[in-house]
Amino acid sequence: VGSFADRDNALRLKSTLAKRFDGVYLATLDGKAGTYYRVRLGRFTGRDEAVQFARSVTPLGIPVIIVEDGSTP
């Protein structure tokens, strides 16, 4: 949903989304430019489930990118 260099900004978005959705979490990415805090929404058992969820939140103005990270829900 979002990626931030400032952890507090990421936590604010996470808190806002968690009031409406289950499965909101932070994932960190350590890179050459520093640490980024990525706010993610949902862990799904398969792509079809993720696509269905994405279709339900895009009308709310939430941008969606489906990421397959290889981990299990």
Side-chain angles (χ1 to χ4, degrees):
V1 179
S3 182
F4 302 88
D6 184 327
R7 187 174 187 268
D8 289 338
N9 289 340
L11 289 172
R12 271 193 291 281
L13 178 58
K14 178 182 179 275
S15 176
T16 299
L17 291 173
K19 293 174 186 172
R20 188 164 190 168
F21 301 103
D22 293 328
V24 181
Y25 65 101
L26 288 185
T28 57
L29 174 65
D30 294 315
K32 292 179 183 177
T35 300
Y36 287 89
Y37 303 92
R38 300 177 294 177
V39 181
R40 293 192 168 179
L41 180 57
R43 293 180 187 251
F44 305 99
T45 57
R47 185 170 183 81
D48 290 341
E49 184 183 359
V51 168
Q52 182 179 357
F53 182 78
R55 287 184 179 140
S56 73
V57 299
T58 52
L60 303 174
I62 298 172
V64 175
I65 297 173
I66 297 173
V67 177
E68 296 181 35
D69 65 7
S71 64
T72 56

